[in-house]
Amino acid sequence: MSPSIRILLVDDHPLVRAGFQRFLISDDSIEIIGEADNGLSACEMYMAHHPDVVIMDLNMPAAADSDEHESSVNGGLEAIRRIISHDPNAKVLVLTATETDPFPAHVLSAGAKGFLTKRCPPNELLEAVKAIHSGEEYITEEIRLRISGGSSSAAEASLASLTRRELQIFSLIAEGKTVSQVAEEMFLSPKTVHAHRTNIFRKLGISNNSELVHLAIRHNLVQA
């Protein structure tokens, strides 16, 4: 018998997690090794258990006892960045209700190996888990077309042109972090962050952080 695929489920709705768990463990190759209801807990559980695959929601509220620093990690996107920073080989499958362009590209650039919406058929979730566990990426054809340039929005195309590091810096600035805070979090010099920010502004056709934040909100990359 082949080894089980050890899964960490991350979603802030207990009923949703229960539904996913009930379906997934109906397959003999799946084992649920833990559950988390926010990104901070997901990071802690990943460090403790190192699951084979993380199934991650994106929009999750902060834990009640989180301090200001910890609250930024509660969302799924920041949790993905933290997990990948700890383990570049981590396998994260995003399963979310949010699919507004160019969000899938942004999530994949953060390090996720797959992206599904909660409208997907149950069997597709199982297919995606097994594909990611085997070392593949899993993205639906519709989303793949959007990422590759199927969208007509100039802003979306510009966001898709950002490099992985630029997307990380874009997201941190959009969350309200200063250049110094971004530099500290990403282990870069402030001068390097300033250079990346200049490139981001140029690619997106914006001139200040306020415009960057508005763009991020408009495309559901951060919450207003």
Side-chain angles (χ1 to χ4, degrees):
M1 182 176 178
S2 60
S4 296
I5 302 173
R6 301 166 60 255
I7 289 180
L8 171 62
L9 278 176
V10 187
D11 194 292
D12 61 313
H13 296 98
L15 283 175
V16 172
R17 293 199 308 271
F20 289 156
Q21 177 167 346
R22 189 162 53 248
F23 169 71
L24 288 165
I25 63 175
S26 67
D27 187 294
D28 292 339
S29 68
I30 301 292
E31 175 188 2
I32 307 298
I33 58 92
E35 299 180 23
D37 62 5
N38 61 74
L40 181 62
S41 295
C43 292
E44 292 171 347
M45 293 193 71
Y46 188 91
M47 310 310 173
H49 302 290
H50 287 88
D52 298 316
V53 177
V54 181
I55 297 178
M56 178 82 73
D57 191 15
L58 291 177
N59 297 317
M60 295 177 286
D65 58 351
S66 296
D67 61 28
E68 184 177 351
H69 172 71
E70 291 174 335
S71 65
S72 68
V73 191
N74 280 284
L77 191 61
E78 178 62 18
I80 293 169
R81 287 199 293 259
R82 295 294 177 90
I83 289 172
I84 296 298
S85 175
H86 171 77
D87 178 8
N89 297 314
K91 297 173 179 177
V92 181
L93 169 62
V94 167
L95 183 60
T96 180
T98 302
E99 58 179 312
T100 304
D101 296 328
F103 206 53
H106 194 62
V107 167
L108 295 171
S109 294
K113 302 300 183 185
F115 187 101
L116 289 177
T117 72
K118 291 178 179 177
R119 296 185 294 104
C120 74
N123 286 339
E124 187 171 17
L125 172 59
L126 194 57
E127 182 182 350
V129 166
K130 291 183 176 181
I132 288 171
H133 180 251
S134 68
E136 302 173 18
E137 289 190 347
Y138 192 97
I139 312 163
T140 62
E141 185 61 25
E142 177 186 2
I143 290 173
R144 191 180 296 278
L145 285 172
R146 294 186 206 171
I147 293 172
S148 65
S151 171
S152 60
S153 167
E156 290 162 11
S158 296
L159 280 164
S161 74
L162 298 182
T163 66
R164 181 170 179 167
R165 174 153 287 180
E166 287 169 349
L167 280 167
Q168 290 175 317
I169 293 172
F170 172 96
S171 181
L172 292 171
I173 293 173
E175 290 168 5
K177 290 183 169 60
T178 65
V179 166
S180 296
Q181 289 171 327
V182 173
E184 181 178 358
E185 186 161 326
M186 296 188 67
F187 304 103
L188 299 171
S189 70
K191 182 178 180 180
T192 298
V193 175
H194 272 295
H196 281 300
R197 187 177 65 169
T198 298
N199 286 334
I200 292 168
F201 285 178
R202 176 179 54 78
K203 289 182 177 181
L204 299 181
I206 58 178
S207 58
N208 55 57
N209 285 2
S210 178
E211 291 179 14
L212 183 150
V213 171
H214 285 308
L215 181 62
I217 291 172
R218 191 160 64 247
H219 290 278
N220 295 323
L221 300 179
V222 295
Q223 294 182 335

